[in-house]
Amino acid sequence: MQKRTWITLIVRFDVTDADGFAAMAEEMAEASRREPGTHLYDWYFDNATGQGMLLESYPSHEALMDHVEGPVFTEIAPRHRGVARPAAIDVFGGEGMEQTDLLKAPTTWWGEPIAAVTD
């Protein structure tokens, strides 16, 4: 199989303020729509459990770094501190990235797929 450069993340949140979480998600999604390297950036919330989830995907490490250095982290996240806490993160791909706990949450690094339909 050809080596891929895609990086996909699933971020799970413990939400403390549902309305604040929704506002933060909407603002972050709007900013991410303007990033040419952000290909997937979908937020979810489960009313029954109070859990949130973000699915995000980038075609390269550079595109992910552009996102991390952009307004989502530098402007929006600081304004919404306290509405949610990252609970767990799964990283798919990301070869060459420092494998630490991202956002100070337990992080599982899955590496490259062993079989895939997508490039």
Side-chain angles (χ1 to χ4, degrees):
M1 182 171 81
Q2 176 182 332
K3 184 177 176 188
R4 299 176 354 154
T5 58
W6 280 87
I7 302 167
T8 301
L9 297 95
I10 300 173
V11 185
R12 292 172 183 81
F13 294 90
D14 293 325
V15 177
T16 56
D17 174 356
D19 291 337
F21 182 75
M24 177 188 72
E26 186 61 43
E27 201 174 337
M28 288 182 172
E30 181 59 35
S32 295
R33 278 186 197 101
R34 294 188 295 272
E35 298 170 347
T38 300
H39 286 243
L40 174 68
Y41 199 77
D42 296 345
W43 288 87
Y44 299 87
F45 180 69
D46 182 354
N47 284 307
T49 65
Q51 300 293 301
M53 185 176 297
L54 168 63
L55 304 177
E56 55 185 313
S57 193
Y58 307 89
S60 66
H61 183 259
E62 292 76 22
L64 173 59
M65 297 294 37
D66 287 345
H67 173 73
V68 169
E69 294 168 359
V72 165
F73 281 86
T74 61
E75 299 169 23
I76 301 167
R79 284 199 309 269
H80 293 280
R81 211 169 248 125
V83 301
R85 182 184 61 78
I89 302 172
D90 289 303
V91 180
F92 301 88
E95 186 174 306
M97 291 176 59
E98 183 180 355
Q99 294 192 2
T100 62
D101 282 347
L102 301 177
L103 302 176
K104 299 180 183 173
T107 303
T108 302
W109 292 82
W110 291 94
E112 299 299 321
I114 59 169
V117 172
T118 57
D119 290 336

